[in-house]
Amino acid sequence: MNTMSWIDNELRALEDESLERTLADTGVSRSLPGHLMRGGQTLLDLTSNDYLGLSRHPDIAEAMRGALRAKCGSGAAASRLLTGNRPPYSELEAELAAWQKKEASLVFANGYMANLGTIRALVGRGDAVFSDRLNHASITDGIILSRAGHVRYRHNDVEHLEHLLKKSDKARRRLIVTDSIFSMDGDSAPLHKLVELKHNYGAMLMVDEAHAEGVYGPSGEGLCHAMDVHREADVIMGTFSKAFGVYGAHITGSRTLIRWLVNKARPLVYSTALPPSVAAGIFRALGIVQTAHDRRNHLQEISGRFRQKLAQAGLSVMPGDSPIVPVIAGSSRDSLRLCEALERHGIAAPAIRPPTVPAGSARVRFSLSAAHSDAVLDKAAESIVSAAEEAGILA
Ligand SMILES: Cc1ncc(COP(=O)(O)O)c(C=O)c1O
């Protein structure tokens, strides 16, 4: 008896429902910024989270090369709690805390681990976590792992959240957690109202700024700074894999919080530190992000213009002002059909299907980057409309 045959059956079911995911070999175009190479074809890259176009910035690559040349080691070879806490970790964390106007910061291997480890360190049995239904999977997984009560409120529905907070008076500790910019919808969280509820109900507030750092705030600090609520957010999480163009993540907050996480965040304690070259790359990227005003302004302009062009053509564009522009296709099959048509027009953009998004709201998500020019995106908008017609999404 083949005890693993159930997997074949499950995979067949995924395939039949157009829900199977596969890995496609992808390279970057050396000559064209904001483009990628797939199957021998050069495609406009509207898939990546490289919001500021820094993933191929020469100064960041040089900082990483410099660390390798200085023989810092290709790997850290130990957890930070042992001997993996090499330079420039401490300088980087001091700079991150100053940038976020908080007391302290802690670098993690990636955003997934930062969310998982932090939530689990903050809450446990007898506590309650109030989480927006559209929060990132790493938040959901952190809550499940923590064994705290998982209270999901309707997306951005602060009345629903308040109703649930009222009912939770038996919880020992309460944590409200939200993405600031939602990764699959591109809209933003009602941070002012969440701060008010945090105060009224004595809850901690954690904000995941994965898609907002680099993009919002006077020096790219994120949406908490742009909305002037950074003092009230107890825990700020950000990742270096998106606008920073590198890899890794941080949790920033009070000195007490960071001291606690150094002791209790298991992905930090029980996992090897990021390679020193990566920490050096992040450090350089942080300097660039803080002064990348032109890139931020350009990104904001192209995002507004691109949204407007698609909406005017009759596509179902989800509301927001971020560089994440989702267009609803409906069924998973329709979203895949649109992707295929886009590829024929030289555009790469991912179909986002259930269970990542609710059934019936499968979509194609366009992610813009400061590396894209006005002209390239204007042409892309026209191609997207043609592709939508071909795919039968636009009558
Ligand atoms: C909102 C959000 N949080 C966390 C993460 C995880 O970050 P990382 O890619 O650094 O693991 C992501 C990445 O997709 C994200 O979109």
Side-chain angles (χ1 to χ4, degrees):
M1 181 188 170
N2 180 356
T3 52
M4 301 293 276
S5 59
W6 64 269
I7 299 180
D8 284 320
N9 299 336
E10 293 287 337
L11 282 172
R12 241 186 319 273
L14 282 179
E15 198 182 345
D16 289 347
E17 291 171 50
S18 305
L19 290 177
E20 187 184 356
R21 270 83 166 158
T22 55
L23 299 170
D25 288 337
T26 308
V28 293
S29 158
R30 295 226 180 127
S31 52
L32 284 173
H35 287 69
L36 56 80
M37 306 290 299
R38 202 158 62 197
Q41 221 190 331
T42 303
L43 300 168
L44 175 64
D45 180 7
L46 298 182
T47 63
S48 308
N49 306 121
D50 189 11
Y51 299 122
L52 296 180
L54 298 186
S55 71
R56 286 192 272 158
H57 196 292
D59 294 357
I60 300 174
E62 188 43 42
M64 297 175 84
R65 265 195 299 271
L68 290 168
R69 268 198 306 268
K71 301 200 170 31
C72 293
S74 50
S79 156
R80 293 187 62 193
L81 263 65
L82 299 173
T83 51
N85 199 38
R86 312 270 181 79
Y89 264 112
S90 304
E91 296 96 305
L92 171 60
E93 287 170 346
E95 185 72 18
L96 284 166
W99 176 54
Q100 288 290 333
K101 298 196 171 60
K102 292 278 189 191
E103 287 177 358
S105 186
L106 188 64
V107 170
F108 282 75
N110 55 52
Y112 190 95
M113 292 296 176
N115 278 339
L116 215 65
T118 302
I119 294 172
R120 191 171 177 205
L122 291 177
V123 289
R125 269 203 183 93
D127 299 328
V129 186
F130 299 83
S131 174
D132 189 292
R133 274 208 188 137
L134 297 190
N135 275 343
H136 189 256
S138 54
I139 293 177
T140 305
D141 293 357
I143 299 169
I144 293 168
L145 205 61
S146 76
R147 299 189 178 90
H150 188 177
V151 188
R152 297 169 81 216
Y153 59 92
R154 287 192 289 269
H155 178 50
N156 278 347
D157 186 339
V158 285
E159 280 169 24
H160 188 217
L161 170 58
E162 180 154 27
H163 169 74
L164 296 168
L165 279 163
K166 271 189 190 139
K167 289 203 310 189
S168 70
D169 51 350
K170 297 215 171 47
R172 180 183 57 161
R173 285 198 285 269
R174 291 186 271 192
L175 170 67
I176 300 170
V177 57
T178 187
D179 288 6
S180 58
I181 296 294
F182 288 87
S183 52
M184 299 303 151
D185 290 51
D187 57 348
S188 54
L191 294 177
H192 286 297
K193 188 67 192 172
L194 296 184
V195 165
E196 192 183 314
L197 292 176
K198 160 207 151 59
H199 287 310
N200 292 351
Y201 291 88
M204 302 176 278
L205 176 62
M206 173 168 175
V207 182
D208 177 333
E209 295 263 42
H211 295 274
E213 282 188 358
V215 178
Y216 294 88
S219 304
E221 301 94 328
L223 197 66
C224 286
H225 277 256
M227 293 179 71
D228 200 24
V229 296
H230 53 284
R231 285 173 218 85
E232 284 89 357
D234 301 291
V235 186
I236 291 180
M237 176 272 184
T239 165
F240 307 123
S241 58
K242 304 191 192 297
F244 278 64
V246 193
Y247 193 65
H250 70 94
I251 294 285
T252 298
S254 68
R255 235 172 254 117
T256 309
L257 168 73
I258 300 308
R259 203 172 140 207
W260 180 245
L261 294 180
V262 167
N263 285 275
K264 296 290 178 185
R266 291 164 69 89
L268 181 96
V269 176
Y270 296 109
S271 185
T272 301
L274 277 176
S277 56
V278 177
I282 299 168
F283 193 59
R284 185 67 196 96
L286 176 58
I288 297 171
V289 163
Q290 292 184 60
T291 55
H293 310 299
D294 290 349
R295 286 177 191 255
R296 261 189 291 283
N297 290 341
H298 175 60
L299 183 63
Q300 201 184 7
E301 274 167 31
I302 55 175
S303 301
R305 190 172 151 127
F306 183 76
R307 275 176 187 280
Q308 204 179 12
K309 279 188 180 289
L310 297 191
Q312 273 168 356
L315 286 164
S316 176
V317 180
M318 299 191 70
D321 71 353
S322 75
I324 301 172
V325 186
V327 168
I328 297 290
S331 70
S332 296
R333 215 157 265 135
D334 283 343
S335 67
L336 288 179
R337 213 177 292 134
L338 178 54
C339 278
E340 284 156 16
L342 286 167
E343 201 149 325
R344 287 195 295 276
H345 283 269
I347 295 173
I352 313 285
R353 294 162 284 165
T356 310
V357 293
S361 73
R363 63 200 67 174
V364 171
R365 184 187 58 174
F366 300 102
S367 300
L368 307 190
S369 164
H372 297 133
S373 67
D374 290 334
V376 161
L377 283 180
D378 284 351
K379 183 161 174 293
E382 281 169 25
S383 303
I384 291 166
V385 174
S386 305
E389 280 165 357
E390 286 161 29
I393 309 273
L394 194 61

